[in-house]
Amino acid sequence: MGKFVIRATNTGFKFDLKAGNGEVIATSEVYESLAACKNGVASVQKNAPVAGVENQTVEGFEAVKHPKFEIYNDKAGEFRFRLKATNGQVIAVSEGYKALASCENGVASVKKNAADAEIVDETAK
Protein backbone atom coordinates (compact mmCIF):
# COMPACT_ATOMS: atom_id res chain seq x y z
CA MET A 1 0.00 0.00 0.00
CA GLY A 2 1.22 3.49 -0.79
CA LYS A 3 1.83 6.34 1.59
CA PHE A 4 2.19 10.09 1.50
CA VAL A 5 5.22 11.31 3.42
CA ILE A 6 5.05 14.98 4.42
CA ARG A 7 8.30 16.65 5.37
CA ALA A 8 9.71 20.07 6.07
CA THR A 9 12.17 21.69 3.65
CA ASN A 10 14.30 24.81 4.06
CA THR A 11 11.53 26.88 2.48
CA GLY A 12 8.31 25.11 3.50
CA PHE A 13 6.69 21.69 3.24
CA LYS A 14 6.38 19.05 0.53
CA PHE A 15 5.09 15.52 0.14
CA ASP A 16 6.20 12.40 -1.65
CA LEU A 17 3.80 9.64 -2.64
CA LYS A 18 5.60 6.35 -2.17
CA ALA A 19 4.54 2.98 -3.58
CA GLY A 20 4.33 -0.11 -1.39
CA ASN A 21 7.97 -0.89 -2.19
CA GLY A 22 9.09 2.50 -0.85
CA GLU A 23 9.87 4.02 -4.27
CA VAL A 24 8.82 7.66 -4.73
CA ILE A 25 6.26 7.76 -7.54
CA ALA A 26 5.21 11.41 -7.30
CA THR A 27 6.26 14.51 -5.43
CA SER A 28 4.76 17.92 -4.77
CA GLU A 29 5.86 21.49 -5.06
CA VAL A 30 7.06 23.22 -1.90
CA TYR A 31 4.13 24.68 0.04
CA GLU A 32 4.48 27.63 2.41
CA SER A 33 2.42 26.02 5.17
CA LEU A 34 1.80 22.53 6.51
CA ALA A 35 -1.95 23.06 6.04
CA ALA A 36 -1.47 23.88 2.35
CA CYS A 37 0.68 20.78 1.93
CA LYS A 38 -2.02 18.61 3.53
CA ASN A 39 -4.56 20.19 1.15
CA GLY A 40 -2.26 19.16 -1.71
CA VAL A 41 -2.29 15.57 -0.45
CA ALA A 42 -6.10 15.65 -0.25
CA SER A 43 -6.26 17.00 -3.80
CA VAL A 44 -4.07 14.17 -5.13
CA GLN A 45 -6.19 11.63 -3.23
CA LYS A 46 -9.36 13.05 -4.80
CA ASN A 47 -8.12 13.71 -8.34
CA ALA A 48 -5.65 10.91 -9.15
CA PRO A 49 -8.13 7.99 -9.24
CA VAL A 50 -10.47 9.77 -11.69
CA ALA A 51 -7.90 11.67 -13.78
CA GLY A 52 -7.60 10.95 -17.47
CA VAL A 53 -4.25 10.54 -19.20
CA GLU A 54 -3.04 12.93 -21.90
CA ASN A 55 0.05 11.63 -23.69
CA GLN A 56 1.68 14.76 -25.09
CA THR A 57 4.59 12.76 -26.55
CA VAL A 58 2.53 11.56 -29.51
CA GLU A 59 1.79 13.78 -32.49
CA GLY A 60 -1.78 15.01 -32.63
CA PHE A 61 -2.52 13.84 -29.08
CA GLU A 62 -6.07 14.12 -27.82
CA ALA A 63 -6.61 16.80 -25.17
CA VAL A 64 -8.17 15.52 -21.95
CA LYS A 65 -10.23 17.54 -19.46
CA HIS A 66 -8.95 18.27 -15.94
CA PRO A 67 -8.22 16.50 -13.69
CA LYS A 68 -5.59 14.77 -15.79
CA PHE A 69 -2.15 13.27 -15.94
CA GLU A 70 0.02 14.87 -18.62
CA ILE A 71 2.81 12.68 -19.97
CA TYR A 72 5.54 14.72 -21.65
CA ASN A 73 9.22 14.71 -22.60
CA ASP A 74 11.57 16.80 -20.49
CA LYS A 75 14.65 18.68 -21.74
CA ALA A 76 16.79 15.56 -21.28
CA GLY A 77 14.41 13.56 -23.49
CA GLU A 78 13.02 11.52 -20.60
CA PHE A 79 9.34 10.84 -20.01
CA ARG A 80 7.66 12.53 -17.05
CA PHE A 81 4.12 13.05 -15.83
CA ARG A 82 2.37 15.79 -13.93
CA LEU A 83 -1.02 15.51 -12.28
CA LYS A 84 -3.25 18.54 -12.72
CA ALA A 85 -6.29 19.18 -10.53
CA THR A 86 -9.72 20.22 -11.77
CA ASN A 87 -8.58 23.87 -11.73
CA GLY A 88 -5.50 23.12 -13.85
CA GLN A 89 -3.01 23.49 -10.98
CA VAL A 90 -0.10 21.01 -10.98
CA ILE A 91 -0.43 19.01 -7.76
CA ALA A 92 2.17 16.25 -8.27
CA VAL A 93 5.06 15.49 -10.62
CA SER A 94 7.18 12.44 -11.40
CA GLU A 95 10.83 11.69 -11.82
CA GLY A 96 12.21 11.16 -15.31
CA TYR A 97 11.73 7.77 -16.97
CA LYS A 98 13.79 6.39 -19.87
CA ALA A 99 10.81 4.47 -21.32
CA LEU A 100 7.22 5.57 -21.96
CA ALA A 101 5.92 2.29 -20.53
CA SER A 102 7.70 2.98 -17.22
CA CYS A 103 6.14 6.45 -17.08
CA GLU A 104 2.70 4.96 -17.79
CA ASN A 105 3.30 2.45 -14.98
CA GLY A 106 4.07 5.40 -12.69
CA VAL A 107 0.74 7.02 -13.60
CA ALA A 108 -1.07 3.72 -12.94
CA SER A 109 0.69 3.41 -9.59
CA VAL A 110 -0.38 6.92 -8.51
CA LYS A 111 -3.97 6.19 -9.60
CA LYS A 112 -3.93 2.94 -7.60
CA ASN A 113 -2.10 4.12 -4.48
CA ALA A 114 -3.24 7.72 -3.90
CA ALA A 115 -6.85 7.33 -2.76
CA ASP A 116 -6.28 5.21 0.35
CA ALA A 117 -2.60 5.92 1.01
CA GLU A 118 -1.56 6.38 4.61
CA ILE A 119 -0.43 9.92 5.47
CA VAL A 120 2.83 10.09 7.42
CA ASP A 121 3.59 13.54 8.81
CA GLU A 122 7.32 13.61 9.48
CA THR A 123 7.09 17.23 10.65
CA ALA A 124 5.38 16.05 13.85
CA LYS A 125 8.50 14.24 15.07
Side-chain angles (χ1 to χ4, degrees), residues 41-89:
V41 168
S43 184
V44 172
Q45 288 179 313
K46 182 180 110 188
N47 288 291
V50 298
V53 179
E54 183 177 285
N55 184 350
Q56 298 177 349
T57 67
V58 295
E59 205 171 309
F61 67 87
E62 185 179 335
V64 176
K65 288 184 178 157
H66 295 99
K68 66 181 172 182
F69 286 92
E70 292 178 343
I71 295 176
Y72 64 99
N73 290 112
D74 65 14
K75 288 184 179 116
E78 292 188 321
F79 295 94
R80 292 180 180 265
F81 67 80
R82 58 187 156 236
L83 173 58
K84 289 188 168 182
T86 316
N87 63 4
Q89 286 284 109

Side-chain angles (χ1 to χ4, degrees), residues 6-30:
I6 297 173
R7 57 189 164 77
T9 69
N10 291 342
T11 56
F13 301 88
K14 69 183 298 183
F15 66 80
D16 291 323
L17 174 58
K18 295 185 177 187
N21 63 4
E23 288 287 312
V24 174
I25 49 178
T27 191
S28 73
E29 65 181 350
V30 176

Side-chain angles (χ1 to χ4, degrees), residues 78-79 96-104:
E78 292 188 321
F79 295 94
Y97 295 94
K98 300 270 186 238
L100 175 59
S102 299
C103 188
E104 290 171 331

